[in-house]
Amino acid sequence: AQKITQTQPGMFVQEKEAVTLDCTYDTSDPSYGLFWYKQPSSGEMIFLIYQGSYDQQNATEGRYSLNFQKARKSANLVISASQLGDSAMYFCAMRHGGTSYGKLTFGQGTILTVHP
Amino acid sequence: NAGVMQNPRHLVRRRGQEARLRCSPMKGHSHVYWYRQLPEEGLKFMVYLQKENIIDESGMPKERFSAEFPKEGPSILRIQQVVRGDSAAYFCASSPRAVQETQYFGPGTRLLVL
């Protein structure tokens, strides 16, 4: 069965520093996608970054980058130059392949707090 | 290009009443997904629909819950005879195609069952 694990319930980082949020996954599908979403206290889900299982390069979107290590089944999110507005819950998610394609499985989330 | 729209944003129901949650996908998106987020938890998949078809309802409770995405109009998630355990945030997401496409989420509907 597909599974996403985020082992860090909470993380703290100083403003302007970088932070890594961990995500490991388990799937037997050769084709899958990995996503990171941000959920601020207002509650909406904001898409941050996507990595396909066949992508050769690590994905980057502005200050966000995804450290994709396929052999280790990890897809960690790196936020560079943290800002106070980055304080939020962050979810890692996996899009399934095969007959369950389309649906996302989410991890438990990591609460990030950025200190001034 | 407007994002995914959900209404109402907040819904209060008494036990035994019906809850109807609406979702209008982004323009050009024909795939809709519903997820539920219980307090302090991640999102859990409920159902995946295309226009007039339910593709995957493996995450939907067998009783009281139903979903539709008609040819015209928004997708509807219906919960009949609500119970306190149905209190949660219900998110709708849409994508242009299922595979290799990002799902964009609406703001969610917060359902509170008294």
Side-chain angles (χ1 to χ4, degrees), chain A residues 31 35 37 39 42-47 50 91 95 99-109, chain B residues 9 33 35 37 41-43 45 48 50 56 58 91 98-107 110:
Chain A
S31 176
F35 298 80
Y37 288 88
Q39 187 176 43
S42 51
E44 70 267 35
M45 292 287 289
I46 302 167
F47 165 71
Y50 164 78
F91 289 102
R95 184 189 56 231
T99 57
S100 300
Y101 73 87
K103 74 179 187 183
L104 299 179
T105 296
F106 283 82
Q108 308 92 309
Chain B
R9 294 290 303 274
Y33 312 81
Y35 295 85
Q37 184 179 31
E41 292 187 14
L43 279 71
F45 168 79
Y48 160 36
Q50 294 178 24
D56 181 354
S58 59
F91 288 91
V99 181
Q100 298 175 346
E101 291 289 346
T102 295
Q103 293 179 24
Y104 293 92
F105 282 78
R110 271 80 186 164

Side-chain angles (χ1 to χ4, degrees), chain B residues 23-85:
Chain B
C23 168
S24 296
M26 288 177 72
K27 188 175 180 180
H29 288 195
S30 58
H31 298 251
V32 166
Y33 312 81
W34 286 93
Y35 295 85
R36 177 165 65 176
Q37 184 179 31
L38 295 170
E40 311 299 326
E41 292 187 14
L43 279 71
K44 296 283 197 299
F45 168 79
M46 298 181 75
V47 62
Y48 160 36
L49 310 104
Q50 294 178 24
K51 284 285 187 182
E52 299 183 279
N53 287 304
I54 296 175
I55 307 301
D56 181 354
E57 55 182 347
S58 59
M60 194 108 92
K62 293 286 187 282
E63 297 179 354
R64 302 188 299 108
F65 285 73
S66 62
E68 62 177 7
F69 189 17
K71 188 176 180 181
E72 301 290 337
S75 175
I76 306 285
L77 179 67
R78 180 190 298 175
I79 312 172
Q80 296 178 299
Q81 298 177 312
V82 296
V83 301
R84 289 219 173 105

